[in-house]
Amino acid sequence: METNRKKYYITTYGCQMNLHESEKIAGILCEMGYELAENEKEADIIVFNTCCIRENAEDRAEGNIGALKQLKRKNKDLIIAVGGCMTQQEGYADKLLEKLPFIDIVFGTHNLEQLRPLIEKRLNGKKHVKEVWEKEGEIVENTPKTRTSYPNAWVNIVYGCNNFCTYCIVPYVRGRERSRKPEDIINECRSLIKEGYKEITLLGQNVNSYGKDLGTTSFADLINEIAKIDGKFRLRFMTNHPKDFSLELIEALKNNPKVCKVVHLPVQAGSNRILKLMNRHYTREDYLSKIKLLRENIPDMAVTTDIMVGFPTETEEDFLDTLNLVKEVGFSGAFTFIYSKRNGTPAAKMDGQIDEETSKRRIMQLIDVQNTANRNQSKGYLGKTIEILCEGYDEKRGKYLGRDVYGRMAYFSGDESLLGQFVNVKITKTGGMSLLGDVVKD
Ligand code: SF4
């Protein structure tokens, strides 16, 4: 149904953290009376929620914003706002406004909650509205959210990062670690379960250091409390840092059946020399001993990871250390990346940048090893009946989809009534990372 309400459109780049922040942006806009537009052409306000982790994401965002020049020319009232990590880089907001002067609003990662007054300033005639705080402010609670990921709900527990991995821009654009109060998190989770959400994913750059700044509650305590909430739901969390992954946490995972049986523990590299250069604060041996401890306590726990190849000075020997670690651990999934030079980080200034051809060859080798592991693990599912939380519909495959407690994706036929339901699926076919099956009625 057509209404006279003004419309918004949001383009999001980057990770889950950003997707959740876009839910907050949408929440603020809905509270101001806007509704979702089907496309940019229909919109009265277009927001770009950017990411600067990789330089190509930044180039893509700038290209997409630049492409709106024509739209802006045709519609002078159209508001274009740009926020997210990209704008938070030192001096970037001014450069962006110089380069693309038709942008109306630029806001930093620390200023998302001020979006409403910034839009109002623009509506009241101010031309270029810019608000980018250098330092993070107090955590703002109760920002409205228009959630888009039912039956999953993302919940921030800690913002920022203190780790300063030498390749990463996050601590510079997201500030230092700040934990939300446990009672605010638990109340949010309780309301979400009451509203019918079936899966909660706790978010932070390093969830394991949750509470260090509060001094009263650890991440394990938080898991124990959230798992006490009544109702059937799954609890996930991301992302972890191996140096802070503790026995106390492993015990909390073991003692709470609502916690999913998968941990994302980014290793990044298997060579001690490279890990040191990356400033990761653990060795290959530390990482492997944490995996051992985890599996001694929870033998069927799946582990996924992030791995980077082509970090400055990476030798063939370093790369083989990574490859061997991958074989030894038997990850259930891995996000693999070629190191990408990020200006403003220490690694960008390091000698010994690796050429593209070598990095590409190494990543192909790595992907090959991980694909074999994925295929073999998937084969183990054949003929089994597993519980899946139905998350959505895949138009391309014409199938419904969802994950099991280990995070493995399954596709199956069904109807809309399955959305948000736990269904038993008998696996009839397996592929690389995904499974195909039929719903089994009780
Ligand atoms: S832990 Fe390292 S990689 Fe992760 S956000 Fe912090 S600095 Fe970046």
Side-chain angles (χ1 to χ4, degrees), residues 119 141 148 220 227 313 362 364 382 394:
I119 295 171
E141 288 295 339
T148 52
T313 77
R362 287 178 185 165
M364 291 318 292
L382 206 58
D394 184 315

Side-chain angles (χ1 to χ4, degrees), residues 53-73:
I53 302 265
R54 275 159 227 288
E55 232 148 55
N56 60 1
E58 199 169 300
D59 295 344
R60 211 154 33 94
E62 278 190 15
N64 291 345
I65 302 165
L68 292 184
K69 200 172 171 182
Q70 295 303 330
L71 215 56
K72 182 80 180 174
R73 209 172 267 158

Side-chain angles (χ1 to χ4, degrees), residues 15 17 51-53 85 88 109-110 159-162 164-165 167-176 205-206 342 345:
C15 58
M17 206 80 79
C51 168
C52 65
I53 302 265
C85 304
Q88 193 66 45
T109 51
H110 306 316
Y159 299 94
C161 181
N162 289 356
F164 292 93
C165 301
Y167 52 84
C168 182
I169 195 89
V170 166
Y172 306 93
V173 292
R174 296 254 167 203
R176 298 295 81 76
Q205 304 293 347
N206 175 13
R342 187 60 272 194
T345 62

Side-chain angles (χ1 to χ4, degrees), residues 154-294:
W154 287 306
V155 174
N156 284 122
I157 63 165
V158 52
Y159 299 94
C161 181
N162 289 356
N163 290 314
F164 292 93
C165 301
T166 52
Y167 52 84
C168 182
I169 195 89
V170 166
Y172 306 93
V173 292
R174 296 254 167 203
R176 298 295 81 76
E177 280 169 6
R178 287 99 64 209
S179 302
R180 285 179 72 195
K181 288 190 193 131
E183 57 271 28
D184 290 330
I185 299 170
I186 294 162
N187 286 340
E188 184 176 349
C189 293
R190 195 172 283 122
S191 309
L192 288 164
I193 301 303
K194 223 171 164 183
E195 281 169 44
Y197 285 90
K198 302 288 169 51
E199 184 178 274
I200 303 267
T201 305
L202 305 176
L203 288 179
Q205 304 293 347
N206 175 13
V207 288
N208 309 139
S209 58
Y210 170 80
K212 284 189 180 164
D213 51 334
L214 301 174
T216 50
T217 314
S218 67
F219 182 50
D221 296 334
L222 188 69
I223 294 262
N224 287 328
E225 287 307 310
I226 297 172
K228 281 185 198 153
I229 299 173
D230 284 340
K232 178 164 179 168
F233 67 94
R234 288 179 181 174
L235 188 56
R236 295 182 188 271
F237 49 93
M238 65 188 304
T239 193
N240 299 275
H241 195 303
K243 80 173 164 54
D244 300 312
F245 195 77
S246 64
L247 178 61
E248 186 204 9
L249 175 59
I250 293 175
E251 277 164 358
L253 307 183
K254 183 178 169 181
N255 297 334
N256 291 297
K258 284 177 180 165
V259 180
C260 282
K261 297 245 174 154
V262 54
V263 168
H264 187 70
L265 201 58
V267 64
Q268 303 298 0
S271 146
N272 284 337
R273 196 182 67 82
I274 295 294
L275 287 170
K276 193 149 191 249
L277 281 176
M278 286 176 166
N279 196 31
R280 291 288 290 174
H281 295 284
Y282 55 86
T283 61
R284 169 195 183 91
E285 292 73 25
D286 296 335
Y287 187 87
L288 289 172
S289 72
K290 295 218 173 171
I291 296 284
K292 189 164 169 261
L293 193 63
L294 179 64

Side-chain angles (χ1 to χ4, degrees), residues 99 145 373:
K99 203 167 170 186
K145 297 167 195 86

